[in-house]
Amino acid sequence: MARNVVVTGGGTGIGLDLARRFAEAGERVVIVGRRPGVLDRAVRELGPNVTPLVCDLADPDAVEAALDVLPARIDVLVNNAGSRETVPGAGPHAVLARWRGDFERNVLTAVLLTESVRDRLTPGSGRVVTVSSIAALRGAGSYGAAKASLHAWNHFLAAQLGPSGITANIVAPGTVAGTEFFGPRLDEAEVARRSARTLLGRIGEPGEVAAAVYFLASAEAGFITGEILHCNGGELLGH
């Protein structure tokens, strides 16, 4: 039986590869994002099993409105949406903007949606997978702190959902090519620098992270919950 799958940030990068995996497996997929054009392009690429939903997940009013469109039963929820705040400056206003922006875009985007659809998660087999970052373990200021918040929240969520047979896990990628996160910063020299600090001597690809998420969303991962799966080529252990 086809499952109902929701992937946030599903129009590009890791989310797009993940939506493709689910769609090719015959699942019904809703991809959520803020940009209609990006979602429409993704749907044209991925085919009829994929439905776009435009929503700013940091806006509680927008999340409430999205509930009318989201499936009444959700088998898999992937919290993949996130970005890094780039407000410049060193004064308190700039610092507040960075920290608040990173918290809203990386924590609230996951928490508001998940809490809003908790009653729709399928008892006995539901899966919640949240994409974090190696920055939660290595530091990285406000962005790392926001991603670390997801780890603490996921422990709480796993305890809350466990009695219903629903799992909640984290995938924490390292440096990944082919996403919008780094933009022009990930030039040849930066790729070489980041590759050198991994144990495998290279950075990752979106499909490799998507594969880790896909596993945790599978039936085979039904006895795994409250965990953090690192997908970084050994970057966390490297230089």
Side-chain angles (χ1 to χ4, degrees):
M1 181 178 176
R3 296 184 297 175
N4 291 326
V5 179
V6 177
V7 180
T8 72
T12 62
I14 295 167
L16 180 64
D17 269 28
L18 186 58
R20 180 181 293 109
R21 281 178 173 265
F22 283 118
E24 289 177 349
E27 316 282 28
R28 294 181 293 267
V29 186
V30 177
I31 54 174
V32 186
R34 293 181 296 170
R35 297 172 293 174
V38 170
L39 296 181
D40 289 343
R41 285 196 298 273
V43 169
R44 288 195 297 271
E45 177 182 340
L46 299 178
N49 283 352
V50 181
T51 302
L53 173 57
V54 179
C55 180
D56 181 353
L57 294 169
D59 180 349
D61 291 330
V63 173
E64 283 191 339
L67 296 178
D68 292 334
V69 183
L70 290 167
R73 188 194 81 248
I74 297 175
D75 300 293
V76 179
L77 171 61
V78 181
N79 293 308
N80 172 69
S83 63
R84 187 169 190 169
E85 183 57 70
T86 57
V87 174
H93 291 285
V95 171
L96 175 62
R98 282 197 300 273
W99 280 77
R100 179 176 286 164
D102 278 333
F103 189 82
E104 289 178 352
R105 289 188 173 94
N106 295 284
V107 181
L108 293 185
T109 50
V111 174
L112 290 181
L113 180 61
T114 304
E115 293 296 332
S116 297
V117 301
R118 272 179 58 165
D119 292 343
R120 303 187 187 193
L121 298 171
T122 307
S125 61
R127 303 281 185 267
V128 179
V129 186
T130 300
V131 178
S132 172
S133 170
I134 192 174
L137 287 304
R138 291 184 70 105
S142 56
Y143 178 73
K147 291 300 190 181
S149 296
L150 290 174
H151 294 189
W153 169 67
N154 186 71
H155 292 325
F156 168 80
L157 184 66
Q160 293 291 303
L161 298 179
S164 297
I166 301 167
T167 67
N169 292 288
I170 293 273
V171 172
T175 305
V176 179
T179 74
E180 296 181 338
F181 180 80
F182 294 100
R185 292 182 295 135
L186 200 61
D187 57 17
E188 185 175 344
E190 184 65 6
V191 168
R193 186 184 75 84
R194 289 173 176 267
S195 296
R197 71 186 191 188
T198 72
L199 300 183
L200 297 178
R202 66 175 179 86
I203 63 174
E205 296 293 333
E208 294 174 312
V209 181
V213 176
Y214 190 80
F215 165 68
L216 289 175
S218 70
E220 287 80 3
F223 201 54
I224 301 172
T225 196
E227 296 294 339
I228 302 168
L229 174 56
H230 298 288
C231 186
N232 54 54
E235 187 176 354
L236 186 62
L237 303 175
H239 307 295

